[in-house]
Amino acid sequence: MDVLLVGGTGLISTGVTRGLAAVGHDVTCLTRGETSADLPSGVEFRRGDRNDPAVLDRAAREVSPDCVIDMVCFDPETARDAVAAFGGVADQYVFCSTVDAYHRPLDRMPVTEAEAVRESDREGEPVSAYGANKAAAEDVFLDAHGDAFATTIVRPWSTYGEGGPVLHTLGTGSYYVDRIREGKPVIVHGDGTSVWGPCHRDDVAGAFVGAVGNPDAHGEAYHVTSEECMTWNEYHRTVARALDAPDPDLVHVPTDVLREAFPERTDMLRDHFRFSTVFDNAKAKRDLGFSYEVGFEEGVRRTVADMDARGAVEPWNAENDDAFVAAWREGTAEVVANWLN
């Protein structure tokens, strides 16, 4: 099939582009040309900003794709532009959404795709403006299903891999890798028992490839998330094992304290890490051939090897974590001593 990938060089979309080419699709990537990636020689590129409706209209005319995979639509306005451009042109539109389309807190787990279909049906508060906008974009594409094209929604969770960082409580700073290697204290939110589930980008990408030209996926939404959910304590221990590092020195600090101490570094903690969430992938396994192949320990080895090759690992003392840890431990010991006395 002729597939237009809106994006194509990002963390997930690099894997999607390679996967599409590997199974014989003709792939064109619409990108701004700001990010490079090692992609198959047969992949074609068109430069332009997908937020410009004229760029989408031109791509629709000149590529005339059978299927569009949109990795970089983030709000309902650009979703409506996409429907206007590709409606009646493409047979299928695959939209990369997010599990943040669901509100928090969740009532039950694992979450199935039946939990939320329309924005008006969702309960609770949006995870973030990002999640609310992705949910609203889903509604636009689902409204277009059957008239403009067949719509497929794919909802990844925490995706990592070569080209990206290894996440931690205080965000994406690469100094975390060096702290693990050197056995330095690592700050962990709460008591470290909230649940997280990273999924390697190659496994996520396989689900997108499996959706293309697949009639079972028409009008459907799918989770594409980890099959290896773990506590944050185990997350850090697994990273240490992957790097042949000492058992990590985990420093547990309440989330509210971390938010006050590091307001500029804890948006991901506020919106994501503090919640325990587990998602059911059975539907994607059944319809898209989704398979969790890259275990987290192996995925970390691959990701960090790529970071090392790019010289992307900062030194362990690049941030002020040690000063905070010392103050926290001293203050906690003082509180306990005063209470006992």
Side-chain angles (χ1 to χ4, degrees):
M1 298 178 67
D2 289 321
V3 181
L4 176 66
L5 190 60
V6 184
T9 59
L11 180 63
I12 300 176
S13 55
T14 295
V16 176
T17 303
R18 291 172 179 169
L20 291 169
V23 297
H25 294 301
D26 294 322
V27 184
T28 301
C29 294
L30 175 62
T31 74
R32 291 175 297 178
E34 297 178 355
T35 305
S36 61
D38 182 15
L39 298 175
S41 58
V43 174
E44 296 186 3
F45 287 88
R46 292 182 179 267
R47 306 300 182 193
D49 185 350
R50 68 97 56 231
N51 294 318
D52 182 349
V55 170
L56 295 182
D57 290 339
R58 185 167 61 251
R61 290 194 312 270
E62 295 178 355
V63 179
S64 189
D66 300 310
C67 178
V68 178
I69 302 178
D70 195 341
M71 306 299 294
V72 288
C73 173
F74 299 107
D75 56 62
E77 290 75 20
T78 50
R80 283 188 280 271
D81 290 339
V83 172
F86 295 102
V89 176
D91 296 324
Q92 183 185 20
Y93 205 99
V94 181
F95 171 52
C96 180
S97 184
T98 171
V99 294
D100 289 349
Y102 301 108
H103 290 180
R104 303 290 193 275
L106 298 167
D107 293 330
R108 53 192 173 271
M109 293 180 284
V111 182
T112 70
E113 291 84 353
E115 287 296 318
V117 178
R118 312 298 290 176
E119 177 62 28
S120 59
D121 296 334
R122 297 181 175 102
E123 298 180 356
E125 294 298 320
V127 173
S128 60
Y130 167 79
N133 281 324
K134 280 284 195 177
E138 280 194 17
D139 291 345
V140 172
F141 287 120
L142 290 169
D143 280 341
H145 172 68
D147 295 324
F149 37 60
T151 295
T152 301
I153 307 292
V154 180
R155 297 175 184 144
W157 186 13
S158 175
T159 305
Y160 73 101
E162 295 86 327
V166 180
L167 299 178
H168 53 97
T169 286
L170 295 179
T172 61
S174 63
Y175 74 96
Y176 162 76
V177 170
D178 204 35
R179 293 192 73 84
I180 289 286
R181 281 174 165 159
E182 297 297 324
K184 301 298 181 181
V186 172
I187 296 171
V188 185
H189 54 284
D191 62 0
T193 59
S194 59
V195 175
W196 194 245
C199 191
H200 192 272
R201 66 96 181 272
D202 289 349
D203 291 338
V204 174
F208 282 91
V209 175
V212 172
N214 182 346
D216 291 337
H218 292 177
E220 300 293 338
Y222 298 94
H223 299 154
V224 182
T225 67
S226 180
E227 293 277 291
E228 194 179 0
C229 298
M230 65 195 80
T231 67
W232 278 95
N233 290 333
E234 183 57 25
Y235 176 101
H236 296 298
R237 294 183 186 116
T238 303
V239 172
R241 288 196 301 272
L243 303 181
D244 293 323
D247 195 46
D249 178 11
L250 304 181
V251 181
H252 296 102
V253 182
T255 292
D256 290 346
V257 172
L258 292 173
R259 286 286 296 146
E260 290 187 28
F262 302 103
E264 75 288 356
R265 296 168 60 194
T266 49
D267 285 352
M268 297 181 78
L269 172 59
R270 177 198 65 202
D271 295 340
H272 306 288
F273 301 158
R274 65 191 174 105
F275 296 108
S276 287
T277 43
V278 179
F279 300 91
D280 188 331
N281 297 318
K283 188 176 176 184
K285 292 178 182 177
R286 182 193 70 201
D287 291 355
L288 308 183
F290 171 65
S291 180
Y292 185 80
E293 300 290 339
V294 183
F296 184 54
E297 187 171 335
E298 171 60 24
V300 168
R301 288 193 194 97
R302 289 163 54 171
T303 301
V304 173
D306 174 76
M307 295 172 72
D308 286 336
R310 293 185 286 114
V313 177
E314 296 178 296
W316 60 268
N317 57 355
E319 296 285 356
N320 60 344
D321 292 19
D322 286 291
F324 176 85
V325 167
W328 175 255
R329 285 176 162 167
E330 180 180 349
T332 302
E334 183 177 346
V335 167
V336 171
N338 288 339
W339 174 257
L340 293 178
N341 291 331

